Amino acid sequence: HPMPWADGNAFQTRMEECGVKFDWNDPKSWIWFNGDLNAYYNKLIASDSKRNPNVISSYAVHRWMGKDKSTLIHYELIHGMIQQFMEQSESRNLRLLDAGCGLGAGLMWFETNAPKVWSLVGHTISTAQLEFINKLPSHKFDAVLKSYDDLEVYKEEDTPFDVMYSIEAFIHSPDERNTLKKWSEALADGGIIVIVDDFLSVGVDKEADDVQLFSKSWMANVLQTTSSLSDIAEKFGLELVVDRDLGSEYQVVKRNYRNKIPDIRPTKKKNHQGWLGAGMRQRLMVEGKITYRLIVFQKKGGMTSSSSSVALSQVVQGQCASVPLAPDNESLLDFQPLEAAHRTGKGNDGGSKQKCISGWYCCGQGEEWWDNLDSKRTHNTSYLKLEKSLFGNYMDEMVEHLNTFY
């Protein structure tokens, strides 16, 4: 039987005493919206009355980042990408599109914190979200009830965007190829697309049952690694210039999930498929099967020399970061080769030497420790199983690659 009742409900308890078994994983335990994103979000918004139109952070519905559990860092990061890749961005009349603008937090943040000469437009397909946006304090930005794929009017008016950004919305695209094609067509040469969202980790099977359940419940139609998405984007003149693992940088798993796999059960108040999706997203992030990332695509034709030199150190080709090469007429970097050494980390010079403190990554004991853990593994630690090849003389390997790089 599906589970439409809160855990511990008297009727449920009595039924269990009589021998009835309830399957928490029965799909009928959840309310499904059959791909209707408008109804999906409208229902979620109706169940939450804590949003204050006068406090941006209260309706910036994103993952917490940093020790202060901020949901506004996302906008600061996007602003930083604009400053990095768009020359003289603070004085130009840039046009920005918030692709999947939600409750309007990003638009309001940029209107409040970015140059006043910037023009801001947001697209949402949720009538409830647009209704909330219309109740926000007086603003100049425009928000419209449209898919973020519906950009024909801007092409017809010859008003391309300089910047497009999408926070936790691109994943809902029913066809990522078409979306990137439409975005590229409506983007000015040299313009950038900034996406903050969940991506598959390299090597994860997108057809696996847990990944597919996440996809269905979260309406996560885009199941791509950043490398595979980059391959698609290149066909539309978009070059991947930044790929940042925000999950690691901002300790997303620790701050949001306390490093725990959730016990996913529907209740009377939380039986919306989105709650199942959120639970599956947490599970897959803790297990390392999906990552929370910021990526930037730049449309070819307008990249400046200053921005391209910065981008070179961050661009990802396949799974490896590119290494800058010295021109024929330029000498190689003169540097003292690095050496592996255990130090205390105190002071400006790295501190004094000390003994090895972790057999996992050094002292040649890595594989021995791996065998020890594997022989005593329990169900609770099964998700921690990393490849044996990752363990060994970690410091020596790091030094080898750093010296090669320099």
Side-chain angles (χ1 to χ4, degrees), residues 25-178:
N25 294 317
D26 190 323
K28 296 177 182 177
S29 299
W30 305 89
I31 296 176
W32 297 88
F33 295 87
N34 301 315
D36 187 343
L37 269 176
N38 179 38
Y40 175 96
Y41 276 112
N42 289 352
K43 184 69 174 179
L44 278 179
I45 293 169
S47 65
D48 189 352
S49 59
K50 298 178 181 179
R51 310 297 176 197
N52 183 349
N54 297 306
V55 181
I56 298 177
S57 59
S58 75
Y59 57 95
V61 190
H62 311 304
R63 242 71 64 88
W64 292 334
M65 295 209 297
K67 63 180 181 179
D68 296 326
K69 296 183 177 180
S70 171
T71 57
L72 302 180
I73 290 178
H74 307 69
Y75 312 132
E76 297 171 4
L77 291 172
I78 293 171
H79 192 189
M81 293 297 102
I82 297 172
Q83 292 173 318
Q84 176 176 331
F85 289 99
M86 308 298 293
E87 283 192 346
Q88 300 177 330
S89 60
E90 302 301 287
S91 60
R92 291 172 57 188
N93 298 325
L94 297 181
R95 283 176 47 78
L96 277 67
L97 172 68
D98 189 329
C101 63
L103 297 170
L107 295 167
M108 186 60 79
W109 187 93
F110 275 104
E111 182 159 313
T112 305
N113 296 279
K116 303 302 180 184
V117 293
W118 290 6
S119 299
L120 308 170
V121 178
H123 280 209
T124 177
I125 60 173
S126 166
T127 53
Q129 288 179 344
L130 185 61
E131 183 179 344
F132 182 90
I133 291 173
N134 291 333
K135 294 178 181 178
L136 293 176
S138 178
H139 52 268
K140 295 181 180 179
F141 65 77
D142 294 322
V144 295
L145 190 66
K146 281 186 176 182
S147 163
Y148 50 48
D149 289 345
D150 187 358
L151 304 175
E152 290 299 319
V153 64
Y154 307 113
K155 292 168 55 181
E156 294 171 0
E157 296 175 353
D158 194 23
T159 54
F161 290 101
D162 301 289
V163 177
M164 297 179 179
Y165 66 89
S166 180
I167 305 175
E168 299 178 21
F170 177 74
I171 199 167
H172 297 313
S173 170
D175 183 347
E176 61 268 39
R177 290 168 177 78
N178 180 63

Side-chain angles (χ1 to χ4, degrees), residues 92-371:
R92 291 172 57 188
N93 298 325
L94 297 181
R95 283 176 47 78
L96 277 67
L97 172 68
D98 189 329
C101 63
L103 297 170
L107 295 167
M108 186 60 79
W109 187 93
F110 275 104
E111 182 159 313
T112 305
N113 296 279
K116 303 302 180 184
V117 293
W118 290 6
S119 299
L120 308 170
V121 178
H123 280 209
T124 177
I125 60 173
S126 166
T127 53
Q129 288 179 344
L130 185 61
E131 183 179 344
F132 182 90
I133 291 173
N134 291 333
K135 294 178 181 178
L136 293 176
S138 178
H139 52 268
K140 295 181 180 179
F141 65 77
D142 294 322
V144 295
L145 190 66
K146 281 186 176 182
S147 163
Y148 50 48
D149 289 345
D150 187 358
L151 304 175
E152 290 299 319
V153 64
Y154 307 113
K155 292 168 55 181
E156 294 171 0
E157 296 175 353
D158 194 23
T159 54
F161 290 101
D162 301 289
V163 177
M164 297 179 179
Y165 66 89
S166 180
I167 305 175
E168 299 178 21
F170 177 74
I171 199 167
H172 297 313
S173 170
D175 183 347
E176 61 268 39
R177 290 168 177 78
N178 180 63
T179 294
L180 290 176
K181 178 177 182 292
K182 296 292 185 182
W183 287 6
S184 179
E185 291 173 349
L187 188 66
D189 287 348
I192 61 172
I193 297 171
V194 187
I195 299 174
V196 178
D197 222 320
D198 297 294
F199 293 88
L200 283 183
S201 298
V202 175
V204 172
D205 180 9
K206 67 172 63 178
E207 300 302 328
D209 290 343
D210 53 356
V211 176
Q212 284 299 307
L213 182 56
F214 162 67
S215 175
K216 179 180 179 181
S217 55
W218 193 247
M219 293 196 185
N221 302 312
V222 181
L223 298 175
Q224 299 282 355
T225 65
T226 54
S227 297
S228 63
L229 190 66
S230 174
D231 292 339
I232 297 171
E234 285 183 355
K235 299 176 181 178
F236 307 113
L238 300 171
E239 181 181 4
L240 181 65
V241 292
V242 173
D243 182 358
R244 290 176 61 175
D245 183 356
L246 299 185
S248 297
E249 282 188 51
Y250 292 93
Q251 297 183 301
V252 168
V253 171
K254 176 182 177 180
R255 305 295 182 193
N256 292 261
Y257 310 133
R258 294 181 295 177
N259 300 318
K260 294 182 178 180
I261 293 178
D263 181 17
I264 308 171
R265 298 190 179 195
T267 67
K268 187 174 183 180
K269 292 184 178 180
K270 292 186 176 182
N271 57 2
H272 186 293
Q273 72 173 77
W275 291 108
L276 172 59
M280 290 304 301
R281 182 177 66 173
Q282 175 179 343
R283 173 180 168 179
L284 294 180
M285 277 207 72
V286 173
E287 293 178 341
K289 294 181 178 180
I290 60 174
T291 61
Y292 192 57
R293 311 185 79 85
L294 178 151
I295 64 173
V296 180
F297 292 116
Q298 186 162 40
K299 187 171 180 179
K300 298 175 183 178
M303 180 183 283
T304 64
S305 58
S306 60
S307 64
S308 61
S309 62
V310 174
L312 185 59
S313 65
Q314 295 177 307
V315 67
V316 172
Q317 301 290 348
Q319 298 179 33
C320 304
S322 60
V323 178
L325 302 176
D328 294 335
N329 60 349
E330 184 178 318
S331 61
L332 296 177
L333 181 67
D334 182 21
F335 78 103
Q336 184 69 29
L338 301 175
E339 296 181 359
H342 298 285
R343 294 185 177 273
T344 62
K346 297 179 180 179
N348 296 328
D349 61 352
S352 58
K353 289 187 176 182
Q354 66 174 5
K355 295 181 179 180
C356 173
I357 60 173
S358 173
W360 285 100
Y361 299 119
C362 51
C363 306
Q365 299 179 46
E367 294 187 355
E368 179 182 342
W369 275 108
W370 190 95
D371 290 334

